[in-house]
Amino acid sequence: MFFKGSKKAAPAALPLRLDRAPSPGFFAGLRIGTRYAWTDVLALSEGDAVLTAQDGEQEITDVRQGIFSVSHTAAAARHWPIEIPAEAFGNEEVAMLAPSTRIVVSGEIAIMLFDTPQVSIRADDLVGFRGIKRARWANGLRHVTLCFQKPHTLIAEGGLFIDLPGRGGVFQATPLDGRQSRLLLRHLNEAPKAVRPAKPEISWI
């Protein structure tokens, strides 16, 4: 079986402070590629493996969950989840990400602008691009951070590629700052669609 026979209980969800944005990660409902299925991030535990774009199956070293309550004050708006509509970034499903979570762009655009085949852009730098927005929620949302020994690019359902750091905060794709992200988005606006990494061969898809 893909998952270990004796799974640990899911970690308890703790309240997240409103004065601090959630760490790079996902909100409940987003499904990540595993060997046999798309799996909700809430169902993943330490020791489970997920599919990555370049490195095959990789084991999760830690899972952290929290309940994110969105404040009605403008001061907390920068911490609100980022909602990425279907087709906004080459994805076929709606995705809800933490503001600092990075999405991967690769191909000719990345090479032309930054002389590297893959770059990553923060979710909150995408606000205003193709309908991407901050999602204000009245009730708590479950937030999940997946941790790995090394940086990896995960595959979310619908074809969204998400770059998560390894220990030390190093990313697999070249991370862009705000100025570089704006430059990238200007060029993507002129392109028919975002250039994405090639999908790996997965037997169950």
Side-chain angles (χ1 to χ4, degrees), residues 12-37:
L14 301 175
L16 294 171
R17 288 170 46 189
L18 289 178
D19 59 348
R20 182 180 63 198
S23 56
F26 321 101
F27 288 93
L30 188 75
R31 302 204 296 177
I32 297 295
T34 58
R35 183 187 295 181
Y36 299 119

Side-chain angles (χ1 to χ4, degrees), residues 164-181:
L164 291 185
R167 292 188 177 181
V170 178
F171 288 90
Q172 192 164 59
T174 301
L176 302 184
D177 59 24
R179 180 187 63 80
Q180 293 169 324
S181 297

Side-chain angles (χ1 to χ4, degrees), residues 14 17 40 47 49 51 53 57 59 69 86 109 120 136 140 144 148-149 155 165 171 185 189:
L14 301 175
R17 288 170 46 189
D40 193 302
L51 293 178
E57 293 177 353
E59 185 175 296
S69 297
I109 289 179
S120 66
R136 181 164 166 172
V144 180
F148 298 88
Q149 184 71 29
I155 309 161
F171 288 90
L185 294 180
N189 266 325

Side-chain angles (χ1 to χ4, degrees), residues 35-194:
R35 183 187 295 181
Y36 299 119
W38 296 112
T39 302
D40 193 302
V41 291
L42 288 178
L44 294 171
S45 301
E46 178 183 345
D48 289 341
V50 296
L51 293 178
T52 67
Q54 290 92 6
D55 304 313
E57 293 177 353
Q58 294 295 323
E59 185 175 296
I60 299 170
T61 59
D62 190 19
V63 177
R64 302 167 189 169
Q65 289 192 19
I67 298 175
F68 182 65
S69 297
V70 180
S71 170
H72 291 285
T73 64
R78 67 186 184 278
H79 301 333
W80 292 353
I82 306 300
E83 181 179 322
I84 302 179
E87 303 300 333
F89 214 74
N91 52 303
E92 298 172 2
E93 302 287 341
V94 175
M96 193 79 69
L97 306 176
S100 59
T101 302
R102 289 185 168 272
I103 296 173
V104 175
V105 179
S106 72
E108 294 179 1
I109 289 179
I111 295 172
M112 177 184 69
L113 295 178
F114 307 108
D115 196 28
T116 182
Q118 287 193 335
V119 296
S120 66
I121 181 171
R122 284 174 56 109
D124 55 2
D125 283 333
L126 291 168
V127 172
F129 176 74
R130 296 179 181 173
I132 297 173
K133 63 184 180 181
R134 299 183 187 276
R136 181 164 166 172
W137 293 79
N139 298 317
L141 289 173
R142 283 184 173 267
H143 173 265
V144 180
T145 299
L146 303 179
C147 301
F148 298 88
Q149 184 71 29
K150 297 179 179 179
H152 296 294
T153 299
L154 303 190
I155 309 161
E157 184 178 21
L160 198 64
F161 291 77
I162 300 170
D163 210 20
L164 291 185
R167 292 188 177 181
V170 178
F171 288 90
Q172 192 164 59
T174 301
L176 302 184
D177 59 24
R179 180 187 63 80
Q180 293 169 324
S181 297
R182 290 190 292 274
L183 175 63
L184 174 66
L185 294 180
R186 283 201 299 272
H187 281 78
L188 289 180
N189 266 325
E190 299 171 358
K193 62 179 180 180

